[in-house]
């Protein structure tokens, strides 16, 4: 989608701190981190919100990628929090589905973030 910030990040038109990319998802550092590690995982398909993602196969695959980034890429062995804000009332500001991964690779910082 041409006027979507996160689609522009996927396309490389806006720079980001990429941490992972494959054929279906892109993951990058949040520009305003709220935890020592704060990464956003987004599907390459433009879906505005979680509420618009009705396909259980898509949702399962997306969450598996979130786990892959948190466990295998970021190696958040002490644990992490996954947040998906939905619509304005849920705190969503960018309308391209994204999962926040919040954690600390050192394992020293515990919740709450
Ligand atoms: P939301 O509030 O929609 O769940 O989260 C949007 C997130 O995107 C926020 O945490 C915000 O800091 C992050 N964000 C907004 N614009 C940019 C940007 O241009 N680059 C990066 N890396 N993150 C952004
Ligand atoms: Zn988009």
């Amino acid at each position: 989608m041409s006027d979507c910030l996160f689609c522009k990040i996927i396309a490389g038109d806006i720079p980001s701190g990429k941490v992972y990319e494959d054929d279906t998802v892109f993951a990058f550092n949040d520009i305003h981190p709220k935890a020592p590690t704060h990464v956003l995982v987004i599907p390459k398909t433009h879906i505005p919100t979680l509420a618009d993602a009705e396909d259980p196969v898509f949702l399962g695959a997306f969450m598996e990628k979130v786990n892959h980034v948190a466990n295998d890429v970021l190696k958040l062995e002490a644990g992490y929090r996954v947040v998906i804000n939905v619509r304005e009332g849920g705190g969503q500001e960018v309308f391209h589905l994204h999962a926040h991964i919040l954690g600390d690779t050192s394992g020293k910082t515990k919740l709450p973030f």
Side-chain angles (χ1 to χ4, degrees):
M1 198 178 162
S2 58
D3 62 348
C4 169
L5 173 66
F6 286 177
C7 282
K8 289 177 182 168
I9 285 177
I10 292 167
D13 295 338
I14 293 175
S16 71
K18 182 171 83 172
V19 300
Y20 177 77
E21 180 178 12
D22 65 17
D23 55 334
T24 63
V25 301
F26 190 96
F28 57 102
N29 290 310
D30 196 293
I31 202 166
H32 297 304
K34 295 177 179 64
T37 297
H38 186 172
V39 166
L40 303 176
V41 183
I42 63 178
K44 288 192 168 176
T45 306
H46 179 86
I47 296 171
T49 81
L50 178 65
D52 301 302
E54 297 173 337
D55 180 356
V57 174
F58 166 84
L59 287 168
F62 181 63
M63 291 310 296
E64 192 278 332
K65 293 295 173 69
V66 172
N67 261 347
H68 174 61
V69 171
N71 293 317
D72 305 325
V73 179
L74 301 172
K75 302 188 186 304
L76 292 166
E77 293 170 5
Y80 51 93
R81 172 176 285 181
V82 176
V83 174
I84 300 178
N85 297 324
V86 182
R87 300 187 182 134
E88 291 91 341
Q92 186 173 4
E93 295 178 351
V94 180
F95 281 74
H96 179 129
L97 172 62
H98 53 281
H100 299 251
I101 297 173
L102 300 148
D104 181 2
T105 52
S106 76
K108 291 177 181 165
T109 307
K110 306 295 185 197
L111 291 173
F113 296 125

